[in-house]
Amino acid sequence: MAGGWLIAVLVEIAGEPKPLRHYFAVGHEDQGKAEWTAVDWAQRTGRVASSPMGGEEPVQAVRALAPAKMKILGLAQGEVRELGWRHPRRWLTG
C-alpha cells in the first residue's frame, strides 16, 4: 500500500475578509496528484486563491502520510477526506 498526503488549500469564501486554509487528506502517493485532487475538492467550497497570501502558498503539501497512519485513520488509497478549516492535529501526529 502506498502513502498519501495532507494538503492545505487557501479558499476564498464569501463574507470572509481573507482566504481560509482548508485541509484535505488525500490517498495518492504522488504529491502533485494529491495537490491537484485537493484543489478540485476545494473548488466545491469556494474559489481557490490565485496567489500567495501572508507568505502562505495557495496549495501546500503539509505532510506525507505513511501507509500505517492512513490505515489507523481509515483513509483508503485514492480516497479524499475533507478535514475542514481547523488545524488537523490528529493527522499530524506520529
Side-chain angles (χ1 to χ4, degrees):
M1 180 176 172
W5 287 90
L6 177 63
I7 307 291
V9 181
L10 282 174
V11 181
E12 296 174 357
I13 304 295
E16 292 293 329
K18 63 179 186 172
L20 300 175
R21 190 158 293 285
H22 198 119
Y23 294 92
F24 298 88
V26 183
H28 291 303
E29 186 172 34
D30 179 78
Q31 180 181 343
K33 184 174 182 177
E35 289 173 344
W36 280 108
T37 301
V39 167
D40 288 343
W41 277 65
Q43 289 177 347
R44 298 174 184 184
T45 307
R47 185 173 166 264
V48 174
S50 59
S51 61
M53 298 289 294
E56 295 182 348
E57 291 295 323
V59 180
Q60 180 180 8
V62 177
R63 180 181 185 154
L65 299 172
K69 185 68 169 183
M70 288 174 58
K71 184 175 182 179
I72 289 169
L73 295 172
L75 180 68
Q77 193 61 35
E79 181 183 5
V80 178
R81 180 132 354 127
E82 194 171 350
L83 302 177
W85 308 104
R86 295 177 57 185
H87 194 72
R89 282 184 236 147
R90 192 170 92 162
W91 289 84
L92 294 170
T93 59

